[in-house]
PDB file of all heavy atoms in Angstrom:
ATOM      1  N   LEU A  14       1.959  19.713  -4.242  1.00  0.00           N
ATOM      2  CA  LEU A  14       2.577  18.936  -3.105  1.00  0.00           C
ATOM      3  C   LEU A  14       3.901  18.385  -3.618  1.00  0.00           C
ATOM      4  O   LEU A  14       3.950  17.610  -4.614  1.00  0.00           O
ATOM      5  CB  LEU A  14       1.597  17.836  -2.626  1.00  0.00           C
ATOM      6  CG  LEU A  14       2.201  16.892  -1.562  1.00  0.00           C
ATOM      7  CD1 LEU A  14       2.589  17.757  -0.291  1.00  0.00           C
ATOM      8  CD2 LEU A  14       1.354  15.761  -1.147  1.00  0.00           C
ATOM      9  N   LEU A  15       4.975  18.736  -2.968  1.00  0.00           N
ATOM     10  CA  LEU A  15       6.286  18.319  -3.323  1.00  0.00           C
ATOM     11  C   LEU A  15       6.837  17.409  -2.135  1.00  0.00           C
ATOM     12  O   LEU A  15       7.066  17.917  -1.062  1.00  0.00           O
ATOM     13  CB  LEU A  15       7.255  19.542  -3.587  1.00  0.00           C
ATOM     14  CG  LEU A  15       6.771  20.666  -4.420  1.00  0.00           C
ATOM     15  CD1 LEU A  15       7.485  21.880  -4.312  1.00  0.00           C
ATOM     16  CD2 LEU A  15       6.538  20.084  -5.868  1.00  0.00           C
ATOM     17  N   ILE A  16       7.131  16.179  -2.392  1.00  0.00           N
ATOM     18  CA  ILE A  16       7.550  15.281  -1.293  1.00  0.00           C
ATOM     19  C   ILE A  16       8.972  14.672  -1.757  1.00  0.00           C
ATOM     20  O   ILE A  16       8.943  14.042  -2.779  1.00  0.00           O
ATOM     21  CB  ILE A  16       6.497  14.142  -1.064  1.00  0.00           C
ATOM     22  CG1 ILE A  16       5.320  14.672  -0.526  1.00  0.00           C
ATOM     23  CG2 ILE A  16       7.166  13.233   0.045  1.00  0.00           C
ATOM     24  CD1 ILE A  16       4.317  13.667   0.122  1.00  0.00           C
ATOM     25  N   ASP A  17      10.039  14.988  -1.048  1.00  0.00           N
ATOM     26  CA  ASP A  17      11.274  14.600  -1.313  1.00  0.00           C
ATOM     27  C   ASP A  17      11.687  13.429  -0.441  1.00  0.00           C
ATOM     28  O   ASP A  17      11.329  13.176   0.648  1.00  0.00           O
ATOM     29  CB  ASP A  17      12.245  15.785  -0.833  1.00  0.00           C
ATOM     30  CG  ASP A  17      13.584  15.872  -1.625  1.00  0.00           C
ATOM     31  OD1 ASP A  17      13.701  15.020  -2.458  1.00  0.00           O
ATOM     32  OD2 ASP A  17      14.393  16.664  -1.184  1.00  0.00           O
ATOM     33  N   ASP A  18      12.411  12.455  -1.079  1.00  0.00           N
ATOM     34  CA  ASP A  18      12.836  11.248  -0.490  1.00  0.00           C
ATOM     35  C   ASP A  18      11.645  10.443   0.125  1.00  0.00           C
ATOM     36  O   ASP A  18      11.690  10.222   1.390  1.00  0.00           O
ATOM     37  CB  ASP A  18      13.883  11.598   0.648  1.00  0.00           C
ATOM     38  CG  ASP A  18      15.249  12.037   0.005  1.00  0.00           C
ATOM     39  OD1 ASP A  18      15.627  11.378  -0.935  1.00  0.00           O
ATOM     40  OD2 ASP A  18      15.869  12.850   0.677  1.00  0.00           O
ATOM     41  N   ILE A  19      10.723  10.088  -0.607  1.00  0.00           N
ATOM     42  CA  ILE A  19       9.582   9.295  -0.247  1.00  0.00           C
ATOM     43  C   ILE A  19       9.969   7.852   0.346  1.00  0.00           C
ATOM     44  O   ILE A  19       9.139   7.385   1.065  1.00  0.00           O
ATOM     45  CB  ILE A  19       8.563   9.212  -1.426  1.00  0.00           C
ATOM     46  CG1 ILE A  19       7.226   8.701  -1.026  1.00  0.00           C
ATOM     47  CG2 ILE A  19       9.160   8.164  -2.428  1.00  0.00           C
ATOM     48  CD1 ILE A  19       6.499   9.711  -0.026  1.00  0.00           C
ATOM     49  N   GLN A  20      11.241   7.513   0.069  1.00  0.00           N
ATOM     50  CA  GLN A  20      11.535   6.092   0.516  1.00  0.00           C
ATOM     51  C   GLN A  20      11.504   5.942   2.034  1.00  0.00           C
ATOM     52  O   GLN A  20      11.467   4.833   2.593  1.00  0.00           O
ATOM     53  CB  GLN A  20      12.960   5.771  -0.045  1.00  0.00           C
ATOM     54  CG  GLN A  20      14.082   6.439   0.484  1.00  0.00           C
ATOM     55  CD  GLN A  20      14.473   7.705  -0.288  1.00  0.00           C
ATOM     56  OE1 GLN A  20      13.678   8.118  -1.088  1.00  0.00           O
ATOM     57  NE2 GLN A  20      15.627   8.356   0.113  1.00  0.00           N
ATOM     58  N   PHE A  21      11.553   7.171   2.627  1.00  0.00           N
ATOM     59  CA  PHE A  21      11.478   7.071   4.215  1.00  0.00           C
ATOM     60  C   PHE A  21      10.112   6.685   4.741  1.00  0.00           C
ATOM     61  O   PHE A  21      10.062   6.441   5.877  1.00  0.00           O
ATOM     62  CB  PHE A  21      11.891   8.384   4.814  1.00  0.00           C
ATOM     63  CG  PHE A  21      13.466   8.768   4.627  1.00  0.00           C
ATOM     64  CD1 PHE A  21      13.879   9.543   3.688  1.00  0.00           C
ATOM     65  CD2 PHE A  21      14.290   8.046   5.570  1.00  0.00           C
ATOM     66  CE1 PHE A  21      15.428   9.709   3.669  1.00  0.00           C
ATOM     67  CE2 PHE A  21      15.654   8.260   5.438  1.00  0.00           C
ATOM     68  CZ  PHE A  21      16.269   9.100   4.420  1.00  0.00           C
ATOM     69  N   VAL A  22       9.154   6.574   3.880  1.00  0.00           N
ATOM     70  CA  VAL A  22       7.817   6.260   4.305  1.00  0.00           C
ATOM     71  C   VAL A  22       7.696   4.727   4.357  1.00  0.00           C
ATOM     72  O   VAL A  22       6.754   4.126   4.992  1.00  0.00           O
ATOM     73  CB  VAL A  22       6.769   6.885   3.315  1.00  0.00           C
ATOM     74  CG1 VAL A  22       5.412   6.375   3.693  1.00  0.00           C
ATOM     75  CG2 VAL A  22       6.902   8.431   3.490  1.00  0.00           C
ATOM     76  N   ILE A  23       8.633   4.016   3.563  1.00  0.00           N
ATOM     77  CA  ILE A  23       8.555   2.506   3.564  1.00  0.00           C
ATOM     78  C   ILE A  23       8.670   1.932   4.863  1.00  0.00           C
ATOM     79  O   ILE A  23       9.291   2.291   5.811  1.00  0.00           O
ATOM     80  CB  ILE A  23       9.764   2.066   2.658  1.00  0.00           C
ATOM     81  CG1 ILE A  23       9.670   2.424   1.286  1.00  0.00           C
ATOM     82  CG2 ILE A  23       9.865   0.445   2.732  1.00  0.00           C
ATOM     83  CD1 ILE A  23      10.852   2.185   0.372  1.00  0.00           C
ATOM     84  N   GLY A  24       7.753   0.934   5.119  1.00  0.00           N
ATOM     85  CA  GLY A  24       7.684   0.244   6.293  1.00  0.00           C
ATOM     86  C   GLY A  24       6.809   0.829   7.404  1.00  0.00           C
ATOM     87  O   GLY A  24       6.731   0.208   8.469  1.00  0.00           O
ATOM     88  N   LYS A  25       6.242   2.037   7.245  1.00  0.00           N
ATOM     89  CA  LYS A  25       5.441   2.771   8.172  1.00  0.00           C
ATOM     90  C   LYS A  25       4.024   2.569   7.743  1.00  0.00           C
ATOM     91  O   LYS A  25       3.671   3.480   7.014  1.00  0.00           O
ATOM     92  CB  LYS A  25       6.041   4.158   8.419  1.00  0.00           C
ATOM     93  CG  LYS A  25       7.427   4.197   8.815  1.00  0.00           C
ATOM     94  CD  LYS A  25       8.030   5.603   8.829  1.00  0.00           C
ATOM     95  CE  LYS A  25       9.455   5.736   9.347  1.00  0.00           C
ATOM     96  NZ  LYS A  25      10.329   5.157   8.447  1.00  0.00           N
ATOM     97  N   GLU A  26       3.300   1.754   8.380  1.00  0.00           N
ATOM     98  CA  GLU A  26       1.952   1.474   7.750  1.00  0.00           C
ATOM     99  C   GLU A  26       1.085   2.664   7.888  1.00  0.00           C
ATOM    100  O   GLU A  26       0.299   3.055   6.934  1.00  0.00           O
ATOM    101  CB  GLU A  26       1.417   0.362   8.551  1.00  0.00           C
ATOM    102  CG  GLU A  26       2.059  -1.035   8.184  1.00  0.00           C
ATOM    103  CD  GLU A  26       1.443  -2.280   8.804  1.00  0.00           C
ATOM    104  OE1 GLU A  26       0.299  -2.071   9.312  1.00  0.00           O
ATOM    105  OE2 GLU A  26       1.966  -3.336   8.720  1.00  0.00           O
ATOM    106  N   ALA A  27       1.045   3.389   9.002  1.00  0.00           N
ATOM    107  CA  ALA A  27       0.061   4.430   9.251  1.00  0.00           C
ATOM    108  C   ALA A  27       0.541   5.684   8.301  1.00  0.00           C
ATOM    109  O   ALA A  27      -0.402   6.221   7.780  1.00  0.00           O
ATOM    110  CB  ALA A  27       0.212   4.899  10.673  1.00  0.00           C
ATOM    111  N   THR A  28       1.766   5.890   8.098  1.00  0.00           N
ATOM    112  CA  THR A  28       2.176   6.921   7.207  1.00  0.00           C
ATOM    113  C   THR A  28       1.828   6.644   5.821  1.00  0.00           C
ATOM    114  O   THR A  28       1.391   7.517   5.112  1.00  0.00           O
ATOM    115  CB  THR A  28       3.709   7.073   7.356  1.00  0.00           C
ATOM    116  OG1 THR A  28       4.104   7.338   8.745  1.00  0.00           O
ATOM    117  CG2 THR A  28       4.158   8.374   6.599  1.00  0.00           C
ATOM    118  N   GLN A  29       2.101   5.286   5.408  1.00  0.00           N
ATOM    119  CA  GLN A  29       1.745   4.899   4.057  1.00  0.00           C
ATOM    120  C   GLN A  29       0.227   5.088   3.848  1.00  0.00           C
ATOM    121  O   GLN A  29      -0.160   5.563   2.759  1.00  0.00           O
ATOM    122  CB  GLN A  29       2.118   3.455   3.781  1.00  0.00           C
ATOM    123  CG  GLN A  29       3.602   3.327   3.628  1.00  0.00           C
ATOM    124  CD  GLN A  29       3.957   1.843   3.175  1.00  0.00           C
ATOM    125  OE1 GLN A  29       5.058   1.493   3.180  1.00  0.00           O
ATOM    126  NE2 GLN A  29       2.915   1.079   2.904  1.00  0.00           N
ATOM    127  N   GLU A  30      -0.654   4.747   4.785  1.00  0.00           N
ATOM    128  CA  GLU A  30      -2.149   4.920   4.601  1.00  0.00           C
ATOM    129  C   GLU A  30      -2.407   6.350   4.444  1.00  0.00           C
ATOM    130  O   GLU A  30      -3.250   6.730   3.663  1.00  0.00           O
ATOM    131  CB  GLU A  30      -2.728   4.331   5.850  1.00  0.00           C
ATOM    132  CG  GLU A  30      -4.223   4.277   5.772  1.00  0.00           C
ATOM    133  CD  GLU A  30      -4.804   3.112   4.744  1.00  0.00           C
ATOM    134  OE1 GLU A  30      -3.963   2.253   4.447  1.00  0.00           O
ATOM    135  OE2 GLU A  30      -5.980   3.277   4.393  1.00  0.00           O
ATOM    136  N   GLU A  31      -1.896   7.193   5.318  1.00  0.00           N
ATOM    137  CA  GLU A  31      -2.193   8.582   5.245  1.00  0.00           C
ATOM    138  C   GLU A  31      -1.651   9.193   3.916  1.00  0.00           C
ATOM    139  O   GLU A  31      -2.340  10.031   3.227  1.00  0.00           O
ATOM    140  CB  GLU A  31      -1.555   9.387   6.439  1.00  0.00           C
ATOM    141  CG  GLU A  31      -1.989  10.823   6.716  1.00  0.00           C
ATOM    142  CD  GLU A  31      -3.494  10.853   7.005  1.00  0.00           C
ATOM    143  OE1 GLU A  31      -3.923  10.037   7.819  1.00  0.00           O
ATOM    144  OE2 GLU A  31      -4.269  11.688   6.329  1.00  0.00           O
ATOM    145  N   PHE A  32      -0.511   8.753   3.502  1.00  0.00           N
ATOM    146  CA  PHE A  32       0.047   9.270   2.197  1.00  0.00           C
ATOM    147  C   PHE A  32      -0.830   8.865   1.170  1.00  0.00           C
ATOM    148  O   PHE A  32      -1.067   9.739   0.128  1.00  0.00           O
ATOM    149  CB  PHE A  32       1.434   8.893   2.056  1.00  0.00           C
ATOM    150  CG  PHE A  32       1.950   9.162   0.664  1.00  0.00           C
ATOM    151  CD1 PHE A  32       2.366  10.329   0.274  1.00  0.00           C
ATOM    152  CD2 PHE A  32       1.981   8.179  -0.338  1.00  0.00           C
ATOM    153  CE1 PHE A  32       2.939  10.687  -0.972  1.00  0.00           C
ATOM    154  CE2 PHE A  32       2.510   8.379  -1.637  1.00  0.00           C
ATOM    155  CZ  PHE A  32       2.864   9.695  -1.902  1.00  0.00           C
ATOM    156  N   PHE A  33      -1.400   7.621   1.145  1.00  0.00           N
ATOM    157  CA  PHE A  33      -2.323   7.102   0.039  1.00  0.00           C
ATOM    158  C   PHE A  33      -3.542   8.015  -0.242  1.00  0.00           C
ATOM    159  O   PHE A  33      -3.849   8.348  -1.053  1.00  0.00           O
ATOM    160  CB  PHE A  33      -2.679   5.691   0.357  1.00  0.00           C
ATOM    161  CG  PHE A  33      -3.600   5.154  -0.662  1.00  0.00           C
ATOM    162  CD1 PHE A  33      -3.203   4.684  -1.966  1.00  0.00           C
ATOM    163  CD2 PHE A  33      -4.939   5.083  -0.204  1.00  0.00           C
ATOM    164  CE1 PHE A  33      -4.173   4.210  -2.846  1.00  0.00           C
ATOM    165  CE2 PHE A  33      -5.881   4.665  -1.215  1.00  0.00           C
ATOM    166  CZ  PHE A  33      -5.410   4.076  -2.449  1.00  0.00           C
ATOM    167  N   HIS A  34      -3.982   8.377   0.994  1.00  0.00           N
ATOM    168  CA  HIS A  34      -5.443   9.105   0.972  1.00  0.00           C
ATOM    169  C   HIS A  34      -4.952  10.590   0.600  1.00  0.00           C
ATOM    170  O   HIS A  34      -5.843  11.106  -0.092  1.00  0.00           O
ATOM    171  CB  HIS A  34      -6.047   9.052   2.356  1.00  0.00           C
ATOM    172  CG  HIS A  34      -6.642   7.652   2.610  1.00  0.00           C
ATOM    173  ND1 HIS A  34      -7.589   7.046   1.812  1.00  0.00           N
ATOM    174  CD2 HIS A  34      -6.332   6.698   3.644  1.00  0.00           C
ATOM    175  CE1 HIS A  34      -7.843   5.921   2.216  1.00  0.00           C
ATOM    176  NE2 HIS A  34      -7.210   5.695   3.393  1.00  0.00           N
ATOM    177  N   THR A  35      -3.955  10.988   1.020  1.00  0.00           N
ATOM    178  CA  THR A  35      -3.576  12.480   0.580  1.00  0.00           C
ATOM    179  C   THR A  35      -3.281  12.502  -0.832  1.00  0.00           C
ATOM    180  O   THR A  35      -3.704  13.308  -1.580  1.00  0.00           O
ATOM    181  CB  THR A  35      -2.223  12.943   1.364  1.00  0.00           C
ATOM    182  OG1 THR A  35      -2.505  12.812   2.770  1.00  0.00           O
ATOM    183  CG2 THR A  35      -1.795  14.313   0.932  1.00  0.00           C
ATOM    184  N   PHE A  36      -2.511  11.489  -1.393  1.00  0.00           N
ATOM    185  CA  PHE A  36      -2.269  11.411  -2.851  1.00  0.00           C
ATOM    186  C   PHE A  36      -3.522  11.401  -3.620  1.00  0.00           C
ATOM    187  O   PHE A  36      -3.620  12.057  -4.618  1.00  0.00           O
ATOM    188  CB  PHE A  36      -1.368  10.163  -3.082  1.00  0.00           C
ATOM    189  CG  PHE A  36      -0.979  10.042  -4.450  1.00  0.00           C
ATOM    190  CD1 PHE A  36       0.368  10.377  -4.804  1.00  0.00           C
ATOM    191  CD2 PHE A  36      -1.813   9.554  -5.465  1.00  0.00           C
ATOM    192  CE1 PHE A  36       0.708  10.210  -6.202  1.00  0.00           C
ATOM    193  CE2 PHE A  36      -1.389   9.371  -6.817  1.00  0.00           C
ATOM    194  CZ  PHE A  36      -0.153   9.678  -7.067  1.00  0.00           C
ATOM    195  N   ASN A  37      -4.367  10.529  -3.265  1.00  0.00           N
ATOM    196  CA  ASN A  37      -5.666  10.319  -3.885  1.00  0.00           C
ATOM    197  C   ASN A  37      -6.520  11.619  -4.000  1.00  0.00           C
ATOM    198  O   ASN A  37      -7.107  12.022  -5.010  1.00  0.00           O
ATOM    199  CB  ASN A  37      -6.558   9.291  -3.301  1.00  0.00           C
ATOM    200  CG  ASN A  37      -6.368   7.902  -4.017  1.00  0.00           C
ATOM    201  OD1 ASN A  37      -5.525   7.732  -4.905  1.00  0.00           O
ATOM    202  ND2 ASN A  37      -7.069   6.873  -3.582  1.00  0.00           N
ATOM    203  N   ALA A  38      -6.650  12.287  -2.810  1.00  0.00           N
ATOM    204  CA  ALA A  38      -7.401  13.457  -2.807  1.00  0.00           C
ATOM    205  C   ALA A  38      -6.887  14.582  -3.634  1.00  0.00           C
ATOM    206  O   ALA A  38      -7.670  15.238  -4.411  1.00  0.00           O
ATOM    207  CB  ALA A  38      -7.320  14.002  -1.313  1.00  0.00           C
ATOM    208  N   LEU A  39      -5.527  14.694  -3.702  1.00  0.00           N
ATOM    209  CA  LEU A  39      -5.029  15.723  -4.566  1.00  0.00           C
ATOM    210  C   LEU A  39      -5.103  15.272  -5.931  1.00  0.00           C
ATOM    211  O   LEU A  39      -5.309  16.190  -6.935  1.00  0.00           O
ATOM    212  CB  LEU A  39      -3.483  15.926  -4.178  1.00  0.00           C
ATOM    213  CG  LEU A  39      -3.280  16.517  -2.739  1.00  0.00           C
ATOM    214  CD1 LEU A  39      -1.771  16.659  -2.503  1.00  0.00           C
ATOM    215  CD2 LEU A  39      -3.832  17.987  -2.721  1.00  0.00           C
ATOM    216  N   TYR A  40      -4.738  14.096  -6.278  1.00  0.00           N
ATOM    217  CA  TYR A  40      -4.836  13.629  -7.711  1.00  0.00           C
ATOM    218  C   TYR A  40      -6.160  13.777  -8.249  1.00  0.00           C
ATOM    219  O   TYR A  40      -6.329  14.186  -9.434  1.00  0.00           O
ATOM    220  CB  TYR A  40      -4.375  12.182  -7.743  1.00  0.00           C
ATOM    221  CG  TYR A  40      -4.209  11.644  -9.205  1.00  0.00           C
ATOM    222  CD1 TYR A  40      -3.228  11.985  -9.959  1.00  0.00           C
ATOM    223  CD2 TYR A  40      -5.269  10.719  -9.583  1.00  0.00           C
ATOM    224  CE1 TYR A  40      -3.117  11.472 -11.372  1.00  0.00           C
ATOM    225  CE2 TYR A  40      -5.235  10.270 -10.807  1.00  0.00           C
ATOM    226  CZ  TYR A  40      -4.192  10.666 -11.770  1.00  0.00           C
ATOM    227  OH  TYR A  40      -4.105  10.115 -13.075  1.00  0.00           O
ATOM    228  N   MET A  41      -7.205  13.325  -7.484  1.00  0.00           N
ATOM    229  CA  MET A  41      -8.628  13.465  -8.065  1.00  0.00           C
ATOM    230  C   MET A  41      -8.979  14.966  -8.239  1.00  0.00           C
ATOM    231  O   MET A  41      -9.875  15.378  -9.036  1.00  0.00           O
ATOM    232  CB  MET A  41      -9.575  12.899  -7.032  1.00  0.00           C
ATOM    233  CG  MET A  41      -9.363  11.271  -6.945  1.00  0.00           C
ATOM    234  SD  MET A  41      -9.522  10.474  -8.547  1.00  0.00           S
ATOM    235  CE  MET A  41     -11.234  10.809  -8.883  1.00  0.00           C
ATOM    236  N   ALA A  42      -8.493  15.881  -7.436  1.00  0.00           N
ATOM    237  CA  ALA A  42      -8.746  17.285  -7.653  1.00  0.00           C
ATOM    238  C   ALA A  42      -7.849  17.932  -8.640  1.00  0.00           C
ATOM    239  O   ALA A  42      -7.850  19.194  -8.848  1.00  0.00           O
ATOM    240  CB  ALA A  42      -8.508  17.935  -6.221  1.00  0.00           C
TER     241      ALA A  42
END
């Protein structure tokens, strides 16, 4: 997973929550 300019997620609670769970799922795998 390649995510460019992650700073655009700042301040968007739903997006941050989804990103957190996506990150965790990939990292654990």
Side-chain angles (χ1 to χ4, degrees):
L14 178 61
L15 311 170
I16 298 192
D17 206 1
D18 287 323
I19 193 64
Q20 71 271 7
F21 284 103
V22 174
I23 292 174
K25 301 175 177 67
E26 292 184 10
T28 308
Q29 285 186 189
E30 186 71 19
E31 193 62 44
F32 172 76
F33 173 79
H34 291 299
T35 298
F36 184 103
N37 264 5
L39 294 176
Y40 183 75
M41 296 304 293

